[in-house]
């Protein structure tokens, strides 16, 4: 049995909606399906305003423009994240300040943020790793005290909650990714959630090449023109049509992934040598995006990956920490130590996880791990 690391989710109506979009004969952005997706986010999460983008990377770039990041500004974030979290702000000239993560959630350690703040600090970017929330109460209270923007990189966190609030809807801005490796996908896609209402009007303009075209389409101005900086951040209707089918099935996808996550957890939690972080007993705190654990040593992790590969099972490590990457060294600075980040990067292993991963497939992965540990 060959078990890949990921299979993009497909729920049934994707092709049907794409056909409908083609028949509508209006494939550029902001058509019927984009509008239906926006409404879904605004009503279901809920959030103040949602704008689809062609990637989460694009949504983060919009966020950096919206927060008016200028050369020399500092932005605080974890180093254990995807490059786009940092790149979006580096593109505006910011210096990235990397702070260590917590050993349990692998999210930014909220107790280390305040010491990293200087008079140049403009924003904090919490990343909800594996779809499990950062300590948003603490982060929002620090941001309020120092008058900083909070941009949640919730690329992995759609349908997860923090104290009853959907991740991505707590900071000034939040972003999701619909890349095919994420829980809800349309190949390439993303969304910017605008929770701070004062940023909403400018967000529309930045997304439409710096023009007030959205207002024009709503009949609020009689011609549209160049009014601000911007770029083309919106996706085609084909992507929105595919995505809408996924949104209609969001509950199903979420339930299915969480079930798989729990099956792994129950089977592997007792094994000596495997360190699995416990989840909050509140079932809304995760979305089954990644099932990961830490091994005792880097060598053991690499041996296990190879052992699984020999059985046609793909387990993967994750980020090379940004602070130790060539661009991270150039554009960033470490505040404090990176002890937890470095250790996690060397020992973390992710198991196959996707929508409709079968019980038999999970059992095969678990059996292989038992065999590796001689159980
Ligand atoms: C996937 C991911 C991104 C980038 O998403 P794209 O849609 O591929 O641009 C950004 N940040 C994090 C944490 C991610 O996991």
């Amino acid at each position: 049995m060959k078990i890949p690391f990921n299979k993009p989710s497909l729920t049934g109506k994707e092709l049907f909606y794409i056909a409908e979009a083609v028949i509508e004969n209006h494939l550029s952005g902001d058509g019927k399906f984009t509008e239906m997706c926006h409404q879904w986010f605004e009503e279901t999460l809920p959030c103040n305003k949602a704008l689809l983008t062609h990637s989460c990377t694009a949504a983060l770039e919009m966020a950096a423009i919206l927060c008016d990041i200028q050369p020399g500004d500092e932005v605080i974030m974890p180093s254990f994240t995807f490059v786009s979290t940092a790149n979006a702000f580096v593109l505006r000239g910011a210096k990235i300040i990397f702070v260590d993560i917590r050993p349990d959630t692998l999210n930014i350690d909220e107790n280390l943020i305040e010491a990293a703040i200087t008079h140049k600090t403009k924003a904090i970017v919490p990343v909800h790793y594996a779809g499990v929330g950062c300590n948003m109460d603490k982060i929002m209270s620090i941001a309020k005290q120092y008058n900083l923007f909070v941009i949640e990189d919730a690329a992995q966190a759609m349908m997860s909650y923090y104290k009853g609030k959907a991740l991505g809807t707590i900071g000034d801005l939040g972003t999701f990714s619909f890349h095919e490796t994420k829980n809800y996908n349309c190949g390439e896609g993303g969304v910017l959630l605008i929770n701070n209402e004062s940023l909403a009007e400018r967000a529309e303009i930045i997304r439409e090449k710096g023009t007030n075209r959205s207002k024009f389409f709503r009949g609020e101005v009689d011609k549209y023109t160049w009014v601000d900086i911007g770029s083309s951040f919106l996706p085609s209707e084909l992507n929105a049509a595919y995505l809408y089918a996924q949104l209609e099935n969001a509950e199903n996808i979420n339930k299915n992934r969480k079930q798989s996550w729990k099956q792994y957890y129950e089977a592997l939690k007792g094994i000596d040598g495997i360190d699995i972080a416990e989840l909050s007993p509140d079932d809304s705190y995760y979305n089954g995006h990644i099932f990961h654990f830490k091994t005792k040593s880097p060598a053991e992790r690499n041996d296990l990956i190879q052992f699984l590969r020999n059985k046609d099972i793909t387990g993967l490590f994750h980020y090379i920490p940004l602070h130790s990457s060539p661009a991270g060294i150039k554009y960033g600075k470490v505040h404090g130590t990176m002890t937890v980040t470095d250790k996690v990067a060397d020992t973390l292993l992710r198991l196959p996880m996707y929508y409709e991963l079968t019980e038999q497939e999970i059992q095969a992965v678990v059996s292989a791990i038992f065999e590796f540990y001689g159980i």
Side-chain angles (χ1 to χ4, degrees):
M1 190 181 341
K2 191 176 170 71
I3 307 174
F5 180 71
N6 177 56
K7 282 187 198 170
S9 50
L10 192 62
T11 65
K13 282 188 100 175
E14 286 83 354
L15 279 173
F16 178 81
Y17 286 146
I18 285 178
E20 200 176 319
V22 171
I23 291 162
E24 291 270 324
N25 204 15
H26 168 81
L27 293 181
S28 62
D30 279 340
K32 178 175 111 178
F33 282 103
T34 302
E35 187 50 42
M36 282 155 71
C37 289
H38 287 172
Q39 253 183 33
W40 188 92
F41 289 111
E42 287 161 14
E43 286 163 14
T44 312
L45 291 176
C47 67
N48 175 52
K49 188 177 181 67
L51 290 173
L52 286 196
T53 55
H54 51 71
S55 63
C56 179
T57 300
L60 288 163
E61 286 175 22
M62 282 182 65
I65 297 173
L66 276 168
C67 296
D68 210 19
I69 302 294
Q70 297 294 322
D73 288 348
E74 293 179 356
V75 177
I76 297 173
M77 66 179 64
S79 166
F80 193 68
T81 182
F82 188 62
V83 292
S84 298
T85 320
N87 243 336
F89 298 90
V90 170
L91 281 168
R92 319 269 13 121
K95 183 103 188 158
I96 307 300
I97 308 299
F98 295 116
V99 164
D100 210 358
I101 53 174
R102 294 166 51 128
D104 52 358
T105 58
L106 315 188
N107 286 332
I108 191 165
D109 187 334
E110 66 276 7
N111 293 317
L112 302 176
I113 294 173
E114 196 164 0
I117 294 172
T118 70
H119 66 281
K120 293 181 186 163
T121 308
K122 203 74 174 280
I124 306 170
V125 189
V127 179
H128 306 302
Y129 184 74
V132 175
C134 298
N135 184 332
M136 291 307 292
D137 279 351
K138 178 84 193 247
I139 292 169
M140 293 311 289
S141 117
I142 294 170
K144 193 168 173 201
Q145 190 185 339
Y146 291 91
N147 198 23
L148 307 173
F149 285 110
V150 174
I151 300 116
E152 296 177 75
D153 183 343
Q156 306 173 8
M158 185 172 140
M159 299 292 280
S160 275
Y161 293 79
Y162 174 81
K163 298 189 179 176
K165 282 189 200 151
L167 294 180
T169 69
I170 304 166
D172 296 281
L173 298 159
T175 64
F176 293 156
S177 169
F178 308 121
H179 184 263
E180 72 164 39
T181 51
K182 301 304 200 298
N183 291 21
Y184 310 92
N185 93 96
C186 61
E188 301 274 0
V191 69
L192 178 68
L193 309 176
I194 300 124
N195 309 313
N196 177 342
E197 222 174 326
S198 69
L199 301 174
E201 190 176 329
R202 192 161 179 238
E204 271 188 351
I205 291 168
I206 289 166
R207 178 168 167 272
E208 266 286 15
K209 301 96 180 161
T211 72
N212 54 357
R213 185 149 134 184
S214 303
K215 274 191 163 176
F216 172 70
F217 281 144
R218 286 195 300 266
E220 292 166 25
V221 289
D222 59 9
K223 54 182 181 305
Y224 80 86
T225 183
W226 185 21
V227 293
D228 199 342
I229 60 166
S231 190
S232 183
F233 288 117
L234 62 169
S236 143
E237 274 286 285
L238 292 173
N239 288 54
Y242 189 107
L243 180 64
Y244 189 68
Q246 305 255 310
L247 298 182
E248 277 190 324
N249 265 298
E251 272 302 336
N252 261 343
I253 295 176
N254 200 33
K255 261 196 213 139
N256 185 271
R257 293 189 78 116
K258 284 164 81 158
Q259 218 166 18
S260 297
W261 198 101
K262 272 192 195 138
Q263 199 188 328
Y264 272 136
Y265 181 76
E266 293 304 328
L268 297 173
K269 68 181 175 189
I271 299 183
D272 183 37
I274 288 189
D275 174 9
I276 308 173
E278 255 177 73
L279 279 180
S280 155
D282 176 345
D283 197 48
S284 72
Y285 264 68
Y286 74 117
N287 62 3
H289 177 58
I290 298 175
F291 187 87
H292 60 80
F293 58 80
K294 285 157 270 169
T295 57
K296 276 193 177 135
S297 72
E300 187 173 300
R301 191 264 311 261
N302 298 345
D303 287 349
L304 180 50
I305 289 177
Q306 191 53 51
F307 187 84
L308 293 173
R309 191 177 296 147
N310 292 343
K311 292 183 179 295
D312 261 348
I313 297 166
T314 309
L316 295 176
F317 53 89
H318 212 174
Y319 306 120
I320 311 283
L322 298 185
H323 75 273
S324 52
S325 65
I329 292 166
K330 188 167 173 192
Y331 299 113
K333 200 174 84 181
V334 168
H335 187 272
T337 62
M338 283 287 144
T339 321
V340 183
T341 300
D342 288 332
K343 182 156 186 245
V344 165
D346 285 344
T347 56
L348 185 96
L349 175 54
R350 296 177 295 156
L351 296 181
M353 179 61 93
Y354 43 85
Y355 176 57
E356 290 185 325
L357 176 67
T358 67
E359 276 184 41
Q360 291 84 336
E361 286 169 324
I362 295 174
Q363 198 45 56
V365 177
V366 167
S367 300
I369 293 171
F370 275 39
E371 193 185 326
F372 178 82
Y373 284 101
I375 299 164

